[in-house]
Amino acid sequence: MDQPQYSRRIKDWPEDERPRERLQQHGENSLSDAQLLAIVLRTGDHASGATAIDLARRILTTFHEDLEAVCSASISELLQVQGIGPAKACEIKAAFELGRRRLARQGGGLVQFRSSRDVAQ
């Protein structure tokens, strides 16, 4: 009996399931963390047949589904994830750094609520 092929190329997936197309059609809020990370990764791992989604899930699993832990991970820690090489580790670090810089330019992004008026605003 043939095994189902779970790691087929994302290009072969139905268009509405592909991360990039889904982002274009429905916006970034419609994507999971794994799908967003897969877009950053761009490609899978040819050696293992893993798709970019597979790699993204592997990363998230390694770091206990904690994006802050992924963000804080060093390049050498990211390299410990099977299928992640120096280029992909650098892409991940660069994407998180861009997000960090944007947040810093917004004043840290932390909002303090001191009254019900603050919440309403």
Side-chain angles (χ1 to χ4, degrees), residues 19-37:
R20 288 183 194 134
E21 287 79 354
R22 187 175 176 89
L23 188 144
Q24 289 174 341
Q25 293 170 5
H26 304 287
E28 58 274 7
N29 290 329
S30 71
L31 275 66
S32 68
D33 292 344
Q35 291 169 322
L36 290 168
L37 191 52

Side-chain angles (χ1 to χ4, degrees), residues 14-115:
E15 199 169 301
D16 61 336
E17 291 182 26
R18 298 180 209 160
R20 288 183 194 134
E21 287 79 354
R22 187 175 176 89
L23 188 144
Q24 289 174 341
Q25 293 170 5
H26 304 287
E28 58 274 7
N29 290 329
S30 71
L31 275 66
S32 68
D33 292 344
Q35 291 169 322
L36 290 168
L37 191 52
I39 290 172
V40 170
L41 294 171
R42 296 179 302 113
T43 61
D45 176 38
H46 181 71
S48 69
T51 65
I53 292 278
D54 296 331
L55 291 181
R57 287 181 182 141
R58 211 177 276 167
I59 292 166
L60 290 170
T61 299
T62 298
F63 293 96
H64 311 289
E65 308 297 325
D66 182 358
L67 283 177
E68 181 60 37
V70 177
C71 179
S72 300
S74 67
I75 288 179
S76 62
E77 289 172 316
L78 291 168
L79 291 173
Q80 299 304 308
V81 178
Q82 181 189 4
I84 301 300
K88 289 192 184 310
C90 288
E91 289 166 354
I92 293 166
K93 293 300 289 180
F96 277 110
E97 179 60 16
L98 283 169
R100 188 198 64 75
R101 289 181 187 187
R102 181 187 177 279
L103 190 62
R105 289 185 182 122
Q106 285 184 311
L110 298 176
V111 178
Q112 289 186 331
F113 298 105
R114 294 187 180 101
S115 68

